Amino acid sequence: MGRYLTPIQPEPYPEGRSPHPNPSAIWVKLAVLPNSYSHDRALLLCRHGEDEWYAWVPDHGEIILHRSEFFVEADWN
């Protein structure tokens, strides 16, 4: 499964604007939702360890994700 850190492009925003300060941010699809109200994607913020990342999940907040907890859908990119 060598697809873990392939970037996901977020949905385009009007006039090229992005809601995040870094338009080249890496979004990943979550294998399991952190709670039943959260989104199914996370924004990777920085590494936490060799196989873990700090991430932000809309409607949940910050979280530490292991590489096995996220992936990139085959139809993206």
Side-chain angles (χ1 to χ4, degrees):
M1 288 211 183
R3 305 181 316 163
Y4 285 119
L5 299 179
T6 303
I8 290 179
Q9 296 301 318
E11 295 293 321
Y13 284 85
E15 301 172 11
R17 289 186 283 173
S18 171
H20 306 286
N22 183 359
S24 63
I26 297 175
W27 285 89
V28 294
K29 176 113 172 124
L30 298 174
V32 177
L33 300 181
N35 69 57
S36 58
Y37 301 106
S38 68
H39 286 254
D40 64 346
R41 299 190 193 284
L43 174 64
L44 298 182
L45 302 174
C46 65
R47 279 192 181 269
H48 175 64
E50 187 173 319
D51 292 329
E52 294 180 323
W53 289 79
Y54 282 111
W56 176 75
V57 179
D59 291 334
H60 178 75
E62 290 187 11
I63 189 171
I64 296 173
L65 295 173
H66 186 269
R67 285 178 36 160
S68 64
E69 296 178 293
F70 60 86
F71 61 96
V72 177
E73 294 175 303
D75 61 339
W76 285 79
N77 294 336

